[in-house]
């Protein structure tokens, strides 16, 4: 089985069949994992996993962010990893930013 297929099966098992009704986020960080959860792939995951609540997109351009906004169901929240990407993308549907250094200054 192709590696991405294994990851997809893992998400289905963990998200839909692992007996947790809790919502969860996917963390897309291709730079450090070598796996890119593309917008079409996330759309597929969202169709299979009802408790998939969102994704954090790290090291992606605004154009890539917009591709997720266009393709992924509205129930799946899109979060950026950089505070500079929030203002230009929020009017189009980005829900916020998950930026670890900002935790020091939450307000």
């Amino acid at each position: 089985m192709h590696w991405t297929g294994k990851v997809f099966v893992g998400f289905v098992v963990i998200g839909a069949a692992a007996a947790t009704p809790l919502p969860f986020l996917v963390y897309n960080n291709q730079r450090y994992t070598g796996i890119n959860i593309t917008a079409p792939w996330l759309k597929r995951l969202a169709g299979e996993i009802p408790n998939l609540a969102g994704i954090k997109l790290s090291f992606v351009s605004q154009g890539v962010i917009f591709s997720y906004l266009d393709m992924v169901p509205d129930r799946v929240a899109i979060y950026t990893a950089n505070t500079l990407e929030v203002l230009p993308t929020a009017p189009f549907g980005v829900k916020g930013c998950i930026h670890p250094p900002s935790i020091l200054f939450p307000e």
Side-chain angles (χ1 to χ4, degrees):
M1 180 181 280
H2 189 268
W3 172 245
T4 55
K6 287 182 181 180
V7 173
F8 180 77
V9 169
F11 273 116
V12 171
V13 170
I14 291 168
T20 178
L22 298 174
F24 69 96
L25 297 175
V26 174
Y27 182 21
N28 187 27
N29 191 339
Q30 182 182 9
R31 181 181 285 183
Y32 294 107
T33 65
I35 299 169
N36 184 23
I37 301 169
T38 62
W41 191 10
L42 186 65
K43 180 181 177 181
R44 181 177 171 195
L45 287 172
E48 297 288 332
I49 305 170
N51 53 335
L52 174 58
I55 187 167
K56 175 187 176 183
L57 299 172
S58 292
F59 304 106
V60 298
S61 68
Q62 287 182 12
V64 171
I65 293 169
F66 285 116
S67 71
Y68 284 84
L69 290 169
D70 287 340
M71 188 168 286
V72 176
D74 290 339
R75 71 170 178 83
V76 179
I78 308 297
Y79 295 94
T80 69
N82 186 324
T83 55
L84 298 175
E85 296 164 344
V86 174
L87 288 177
T89 57
F92 301 98
V94 167
K95 300 299 182 199
C97 176
I98 300 173
H99 185 246
S102 298
I103 292 172
L104 299 173
F105 310 100
E107 310 228 358

